[in-house]
RNA sequence: GGGCUCGUGGUGUAGCCUGGUCUAACACGUCGCCCUGUCACGGCGAAGAUCGCCAGUUCAAAUCUGGUCGAGCCCGCCA
């Protein structure tokens, strides 16, 4: 007999099915017992009326096979339940469990640390499980949209000899007899692939930041959603594409993850218009509406990001806001200047947090080399990157989206670690 | 790198300020018995923690002090 998934049960009303899964909950009332069975597709109530069926070894979270007949039953959750004919214990779960996974998370109030210490087990909780279905859909939609836009998916090395910005935040690794580093960004390689003639490329991959921070929005290994495209007129082309990309991602999640969104009581907005303000305007807005002076003259602090999103919400009814034309001093050397002071670099803020950084890049070889010198970098160390710029580089630009951050903000998670299966931070290397 | 907060059964908390009556409480879970419609099932009973670790103060430490290890948040920096 072939296994039937929980979500397929409605097709089998009146016919015996074989179900396999985990015992989500067992409610023993005496002569009638209810067993909630969970598989990858959902949870179904089964009812045990036959007193000869032995439930003594059937503990919560045990793996079982159940033969039974699906029936319409008004009293059952969802209107359908399976009357059990036979139950077989496949693998018993030890007791006690690390914590409960069959009650609302809000009632359990489990510490994040406990969840992460028991990560695989914790994912059995439907609400925790849902996070990674959303994230998978997000990444899938990112790929699907860009492929439709004629982008090529690339996979570049995460083992590098030089950092993008000079080498401060890099994790050193021993690479045979030489020193190497874990990549903090696919930046150089994706630009090189534009120059290689692919024009439009994207990459989904982990990147590594050896920053000694401990906050709810930083992890040391995160999934970077990158794209880079050639023959643009300005960074506005990148921004326009990102708006369409986000619209596509949000619509995909809404369409394919309705149940998961419901668990978090999230109602994703339809993205129509995203306001764009220049950095210097942002500074004025902060001063005028919030009486806030930026402590650093060339970047936004977290409070400023929250305030600007508040402004976007009130003025434009948007949860997103682009901050454009950041000061040159706040941006890496490859960022295209806008004028003497400002660059063609931008950030996207979403619900108070930075989720994207992008820019038009410098495509002129001489300008790029001169800029490296200004930033105190030695062009000879970056010859591998610079070469293609000598042989005809089109105007280009791109951006990177932090996948965990976007997921965190979509679901309103308190800590980015919740959106990473196996987060790596200053103190966590296991599991 | 700077600042603040927290470590008590499997899970989450109370107790700590104002040491003794803490032989450590409560909720959920676990185990046993009862229950034919539960769905945060219900009822009765039971087990389970030397209060992160080390030292000190004291007649007496979960409680005070110092150290140590672990955790969380904010800032800098960033996605």
């Amino acid at each position: 007999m072939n296994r039937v998934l929980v979500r397929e049960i409605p097709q089998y009303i009146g016919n015996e099915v074989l179900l396999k899964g985990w015992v989500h909950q067992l409610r023993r009332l005496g002569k009638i017992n209810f067993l909630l069975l969970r598989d990858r597709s959902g949870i179904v109530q089964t009812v045990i009326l036959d007193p000869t069926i032995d439930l003594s070894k059937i503990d919560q979270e045990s793996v079982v096979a159940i033969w039974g007949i699906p029936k319409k039953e008004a009293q059952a959750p969802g209107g359908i339940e399976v009357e059990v004919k036979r139950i077989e214990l496949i693998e018993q779960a030890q007791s006690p469990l690390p914590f409960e996974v069959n009650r609302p998370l809000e009632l359990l109030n489990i510490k994040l640390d406990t969840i992460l210490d028991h990560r695989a087990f914790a994912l059995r909780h439907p609400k925790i499980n849902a996070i990674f279905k959303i994230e998978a859909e997000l990444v899938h939609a990112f790929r699907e949209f860009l492929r439709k836009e004629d982008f090529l998916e690339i996979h570049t090395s995460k083992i590098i000899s030089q950092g993008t910005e000079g080498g401060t935040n890099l994790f050193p690794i021993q690479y045979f007899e030489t020193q190497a580093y874990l990549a903090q960004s696919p930046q150089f390689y994706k630009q090189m692939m534009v120059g290689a003639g692919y024009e439009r490329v994207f990459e989904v991959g982990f990147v590594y930041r050896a920053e000694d921070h401990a906050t709810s929005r930083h992890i040391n290994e995160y999934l970077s959603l990158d794209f880079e495209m050639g023959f643009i007129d300005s960074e506005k082309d990148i921004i326009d594409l990102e708006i369409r990309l986000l619209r596509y991602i949000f619509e995909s999640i809404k369409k394919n993850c309705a149940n998961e969104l419901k668990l978090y009581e999230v109602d994703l907005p339809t993205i129509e218009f995203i306001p764009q303000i220049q950095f210097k305007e942002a500074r004025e807005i902060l001063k005028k509406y919030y009486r806030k002076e930026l402590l650093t003259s060339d970047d936004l602090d977290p409070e400023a990001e929250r305030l600007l999103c508040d402004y976007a919400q009130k003025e434009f009814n948007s949860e997103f806001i682009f901050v454009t034309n950041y000061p040159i001093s706040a941006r890496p050397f490859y960022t295209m200047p806008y004028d003497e002071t400002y660059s063609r670099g931008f950030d996207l803020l979403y619900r108070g947090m930075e989720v994207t950084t992008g820019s038009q890049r410098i495509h002129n070889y001489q300008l790029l080399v001169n800029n490296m010198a200004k930033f105190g970098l030695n062009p000879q160390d970056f010859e591998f990157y610079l070469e293609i710029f000598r042989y005809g580089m089109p105007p280009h630009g791109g951006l990177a989206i932090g996948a965990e951050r976007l997921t965190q903000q979509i679901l309103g998670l308190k800590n980015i670690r919740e959106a990473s299966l196996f987060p790596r931070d200053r103190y966590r290397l296991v599991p």
Side-chain angles (χ1 to χ4, degrees):
Chain A
M1 197 168 188
N2 288 331
R3 179 188 178 202
V4 167
L5 289 175
V6 166
R7 67 163 168 254
E8 299 165 338
I9 288 174
Q11 305 164 30
Y12 292 87
I13 301 294
N15 301 309
E16 187 169 352
V17 294
L18 166 60
L19 304 168
K20 292 181 181 179
W22 288 267
V23 178
H24 190 65
Q25 194 163 70
L26 185 56
R27 283 193 273 267
R28 306 188 62 172
L29 310 193
K31 297 283 191 315
I32 185 169
N33 302 291
F34 298 98
L35 185 157
L36 301 189
L37 184 78
R38 186 187 70 239
D39 69 16
R40 68 175 191 272
S41 71
I43 297 171
V44 68
Q45 172 164 294
T46 71
V47 58
I48 298 118
L49 294 159
D50 181 349
T52 65
I53 293 175
D54 179 21
L55 296 173
S56 62
K57 291 272 190 325
I58 309 294
D59 293 321
Q60 253 175 57
E61 293 306 314
S62 291
V63 177
V64 296
I66 287 176
W67 289 260
I69 298 172
K71 293 180 172 165
K72 286 195 171 157
E73 171 55 66
Q75 296 175 89
I80 289 179
E81 72 182 6
V82 176
E83 190 184 332
V84 177
K85 293 297 168 199
R86 182 154 89 87
I87 184 163
E88 188 183 298
L89 180 66
I90 295 173
E91 195 66 29
Q92 194 166 21
Q94 273 181 26
S95 164
L97 302 170
F99 45 83
E100 295 139 79
V101 291
N102 58 7
R103 314 180 83 231
L105 256 192
E106 297 70 25
L107 296 176
L108 295 174
N109 194 224
I110 313 165
K111 287 181 194 158
L112 179 57
D113 205 37
T114 308
I115 290 173
L116 295 178
D117 282 343
H118 305 276
R119 192 35 135 169
F121 179 80
L123 289 164
R124 289 186 182 178
H125 190 108
K127 191 164 176 178
I128 298 176
N129 191 277
I131 296 170
F132 297 95
K133 291 187 178 166
I134 301 267
E135 200 161 86
E137 184 61 33
L138 191 159
V139 172
H140 176 73
F142 175 82
R143 285 197 162 104
E144 199 168 60
F145 176 82
L146 290 174
R147 284 183 61 105
K148 284 183 184 170
E149 293 290 324
D150 207 22
F151 279 71
L152 180 77
E153 179 163 14
I154 57 170
H155 305 281
T156 64
S157 181
K158 302 301 156 215
I159 304 172
I160 57 167
S161 69
Q162 286 287 336
T164 325
E165 264 100 315
T168 48
N169 301 325
L170 297 170
F171 283 110
I173 57 167
Q174 189 64 39
Y175 192 72
F176 301 108
E177 56 285 324
T178 57
Q179 172 92 287
Y181 302 93
L182 292 176
Q184 62 184 173
S185 154
Q187 184 61 35
F188 290 164
Y189 293 131
K190 62 179 181 169
Q191 285 186 265
M192 288 158 74
M193 290 305 98
V194 170
Y198 293 120
E199 296 186 23
R200 297 175 167 209
V201 295
F202 72 91
E203 175 159 7
V204 176
F206 275 135
V207 295
Y208 300 86
R209 303 278 165 99
E211 286 150 2
D212 203 359
H213 40 213
T215 78
S216 56
R217 62 184 188 286
H218 289 97
I219 41 181
N220 293 294
E221 177 184 57
Y222 71 87
L223 193 64
S224 187
L225 308 178
D226 274 87
F227 76 70
E228 197 76 19
M229 66 189 290
F231 298 100
I232 60 172
D233 291 327
S234 76
E235 74 280 11
K236 297 293 178 202
D237 291 346
I238 306 297
I239 291 173
D240 289 344
L241 189 70
E242 179 167 28
I243 293 171
R244 292 171 51 220
L245 167 64
L246 288 170
R247 191 176 292 147
Y248 189 87
I249 289 174
F250 273 45
E251 291 309 310
S252 296
I253 291 175
K254 274 199 276 193
K255 192 170 116 201
N256 300 321
C257 298
N259 292 335
E260 286 76 16
L261 289 177
K262 211 150 119 195
L263 288 174
Y264 282 84
E265 291 171 6
V266 165
D267 196 15
L268 280 186
T270 301
I271 299 172
E272 308 274 355
F273 164 80
I274 298 182
Q276 302 177 27
I277 55 168
Q278 292 192 321
F279 181 84
K280 56 184 174 190
E281 292 176 69
R283 192 154 48 192
E284 284 158 19
I285 288 164
L286 289 168
K287 204 188 289 184
K288 190 173 162 193
Y289 295 100
Y290 300 98
R291 294 205 183 83
K292 180 179 168 66
E293 294 272 2
L294 291 176
L295 293 174
T296 53
S297 58
D298 64 358
D299 211 351
L300 302 174
D301 58 41
E303 190 195 12
E305 292 176 357
R306 288 189 286 270
L307 295 175
L308 289 173
C309 282
D310 180 70
Y311 171 80
Q313 184 66 255
K314 284 176 179 158
E315 291 291 316
F316 303 101
N317 193 30
S318 170
E319 295 189 315
F320 291 90
I321 183 167
F322 280 102
V323 180
T324 65
N325 299 291
Y326 268 69
I328 289 171
S329 54
R331 293 287 157 153
F333 72 89
Y334 50 78
T335 309
M336 181 69 97
Y338 178 73
D339 58 23
E340 286 290 305
T341 316
Y342 295 100
S343 74
R344 292 188 177 276
F346 64 88
D347 277 0
L348 175 66
L349 310 181
Y350 173 44
R351 292 183 175 170
M353 181 149 67
E354 179 183 335
V355 293
T356 290
T357 290
S359 71
Q360 179 174 354
R361 326 297 192 187
I362 295 171
H363 58 277
N364 180 75
Y365 175 76
Q366 203 51 54
L367 185 56
L368 192 56
V369 169
N370 292 349
N371 231 30
M372 289 181 97
K374 276 192 206 162
F375 276 73
L377 301 171
N378 183 355
Q380 284 175 356
D381 294 336
F382 298 92
E383 178 52 27
F384 74 94
Y385 164 63
L386 289 170
E387 188 195 56
I388 199 71
F389 288 79
R390 279 202 297 271
Y391 301 119
M393 192 68 163
H396 66 284
L399 56 75
I401 299 170
E404 294 89 348
R405 277 198 179 176
L406 190 54
T407 306
Q408 179 187 3
Q409 294 308 83
I410 285 172
L411 294 179
L413 304 176
K414 286 198 177 72
N415 194 308
I416 192 168
R417 277 156 255 229
E418 295 177 62
S420 176
L421 272 178
F422 298 105
R424 291 290 175 262
D425 65 31
R426 185 68 184 78
Y427 301 103
R428 182 177 286 278
L429 202 48
V430 174

